[in-house]
Amino acid sequence: WQLVEYGGGLVQPGGSLRLSCVASGFTLDDYGIGWFRQAPGKEREWVSCISGSGLSTNYADSVKGRFTISRDNAKNTVYLQMNSLKPEDTAFYYCTIPTTEAATCDDIERGRYLELWGRGTLVTVSS
């Protein structure tokens, strides 16, 4: 089982990026997926989550209204659309999947059942 993140890069403040989380070796269907980020010298923080059905999404207050999470099960991919980026969004971004389909977004936000992580993709917001 493997998760790989794509789409990071350097962007100016106010710009946009779309991150992708692609699964291989298994299907994402019915699993909630989370995005976390970790800035240099800071602890990892939860960013967003989407339920297995795709009908429920949650966001950290710091990104609410600017980031949108979505999924395309046919492509085995989860996306994080990031708009109005700020320098404080600079971080490595990681996607993760819980070990059980029963895990909720609340579980993911709290770090429960999370054992499989991607290697991360770096987002740098700077002028």
Side-chain angles (χ1 to χ4, degrees), residues 23-58:
S24 61
F26 67 103
T27 58
L28 293 176
D29 295 16
D30 300 324
Y31 283 90
I33 302 294
W35 283 97
F36 286 73
R37 67 186 181 185
Q38 187 168 20
K42 295 188 177 181
E43 293 188 354
R44 184 182 66 194
E45 65 172 343
W46 170 76
V47 174
S48 182
C49 172
I50 187 167
S51 65
S53 67
L55 297 178
S56 177
T57 58
N58 288 349

Side-chain angles (χ1 to χ4, degrees), residues 57-101:
T57 58
N58 288 349
Y59 300 93
D61 288 343
S62 59
V63 307
K64 198 171 295 183
R66 300 188 297 120
F67 290 12
T68 303
I69 191 170
S70 62
R71 63 192 300 154
D72 185 342
N73 287 344
K75 295 184 178 180
N76 225 23
T77 301
V78 172
Y79 303 99
L80 187 67
Q81 177 67 43
M82 306 186 297
N83 298 330
S84 303
L85 283 162
K86 304 176 181 180
E88 50 263 44
D89 295 317
T90 295
F92 278 95
Y93 284 72
Y94 303 88
C95 62
T96 181
I97 184 170
T99 54
T100 171
E101 294 175 350

